[in-house]
Amino acid sequence: MLAMGAPALGEVQTAAAATSAPANDQMVPIPIPAQPGAITLNTGKLPGATAPEVWHSQYNSVFARNVVVATLTPFLPDPAKASGAAVVVAPGGGFRTLSMENEGWDVAKALAARGVAAFVLKYRLNQTPQDMAAFDKSMKDMFSAVSRTRPAPDRAMANLAPQIADARAAFALIRSRAGEWRVDPNRIGMVGFSAGAMLTMATAMSGNDAKPAFLGNVYGPLAAVTVPADAPPLFAAIAADDPLFGNGNFALIDSWRAAKRPVEFHLYEQGGHGFGMYPKATTSTGWFDAFARWLTMHGWMKPAQ
């Protein structure tokens, strides 16, 4: 049972503080970009959804919202350097939008370059206003509300049923095509950012057959959880000046340690919320190299014999 003290609406990547956001923070509508290789998952259309999927640019990146049908996009490494390891990549955005480039495609490309098969999960989202100005206001209101209140863990979990179903479908699809994609079915992990980090943790604890081999929680909630006896190794990274989770405790790390499960934790002095793959002057930019070294340390980057 997941026992997080942060809400499903708590991970607001697009409402990051000014100190953590690059220039060009204005939301600008854009046509839905080509997504070559995207595979529609079998979880169907979001129940009750009426607003169609739309995209916008912001922070020198691109974002999707009103996602009503989930997809999975593979980024496969050169077969000559494929390690057999794979990672499901879950972008963040408060379950209202998805940072598809900074926390999705760019992460997947970097993993593939290191021999890891990566799969960007475009999971279904809560519906938002079609009007861009109204959507912008709704995100700012949500960000403000999150700073004041945090709903009970059970309520947060209840809101994630569609997203957990999408994550389970992603793992099932990868395992069903493991031979084709040169993936070891026992070495498929998951890394998530902000809301995607919350989904990553929920998938590990409430995703039944998903069973990630390892977890990456990048500036996600770090509240205490009840850790399963067989919980996978956990990598966590956050900046101390993160406006959402930097001022709380880091009980998630203590929970993993108390359960005697492997955990690595990076607390960066600066970086704000939503740094992802953006090049910044802060040491938080080094999180990806640290994550790759952690994968190597555990042997996941070495081809299975």
Side-chain angles (χ1 to χ4, degrees):
M1 175 63 182
L2 188 65
M4 288 187 171
L9 297 182
E11 297 67 55
V12 192
Q13 199 277 339
T14 56
T19 55
S20 68
N24 301 326
D25 62 348
Q26 184 176 359
M27 296 179 182
V28 178
I30 61 172
I32 295 179
Q35 299 160 74
I39 302 168
T40 299
L41 295 175
N42 64 0
T43 49
K45 185 177 179 180
L46 182 72
T50 57
E53 181 176 319
V54 289
W55 289 57
H56 66 272
S57 64
Q58 188 182 24
Y59 307 140
N60 300 320
S61 190
V62 298
F63 298 78
R65 63 187 178 93
N66 290 336
V67 174
V68 296
V69 175
T71 67
L72 191 71
T73 302
F75 289 77
L76 303 178
D78 181 336
K81 62 164 59 173
S83 66
V87 179
V88 175
V89 180
F95 298 107
R96 293 188 175 197
T97 185
L98 291 175
S99 179
M100 293 298 296
E101 188 171 10
N102 179 50
E103 297 173 354
W105 303 332
D106 288 350
V107 176
K109 291 173 184 176
L111 286 165
R114 296 190 182 231
V116 178
F119 300 84
V120 177
L121 176 61
K122 188 175 74 174
Y123 51 89
R124 291 171 292 173
L125 298 173
N126 297 332
Q127 295 264 283
T128 58
Q130 285 290 93
D131 178 73
M132 183 59 72
F135 168 66
D136 189 10
K137 182 180 185 300
S138 76
M139 291 297 288
K140 291 175 180 175
D141 290 346
M142 179 179 65
F143 180 69
S144 176
V146 165
S147 299
R148 298 191 305 268
T149 61
R150 296 187 182 277
D154 286 347
R155 176 182 167 190
M157 280 297 298
N159 290 336
L160 293 183
Q163 292 80 20
I164 293 174
D166 294 341
R168 291 179 61 193
F171 276 86
L173 176 62
I174 297 168
R175 290 191 174 111
S176 72
R177 299 178 64 172
E180 173 189 350
W181 287 333
R182 299 174 182 267
V183 167
D184 181 341
N186 297 313
R187 289 197 288 161
I188 306 171
M190 186 171 183
V191 61
F193 302 81
S194 195
M198 184 174 183
L199 177 56
T200 295
M201 303 307 298
T203 300
M205 298 179 190
S206 302
N208 300 312
D209 53 350
K211 299 188 181 302
F214 52 86
L215 307 173
N217 178 330
V218 185
Y219 46 81
L222 297 176
V225 299
T226 300
V227 182
D230 60 348
L234 169 66
F235 175 97
I238 195 170
D241 62 351
D242 185 310
L244 292 185
F245 306 118
N247 294 324
N249 60 44
F250 307 127
L252 175 69
I253 310 306
D254 296 333
S255 297
W256 237 256
R257 295 184 66 194
K260 302 188 185 305
R261 301 304 299 152
V263 58
E264 177 156 332
F265 178 44
H266 294 259
L267 175 63
Y268 297 104
E269 178 186 341
Q270 299 178 36
H273 189 77
F275 48 81
M277 298 298 284
Y278 289 127
K280 300 183 70 173
T282 59
T283 54
S284 60
T285 299
W287 80 267
F288 181 82
D289 287 336
F291 181 59
R293 287 194 296 271
W294 181 73
L295 294 177
T296 300
M297 179 182 73
H298 278 277
W300 292 309
M301 302 282 262
K302 182 179 180 181
Q305 301 299 318

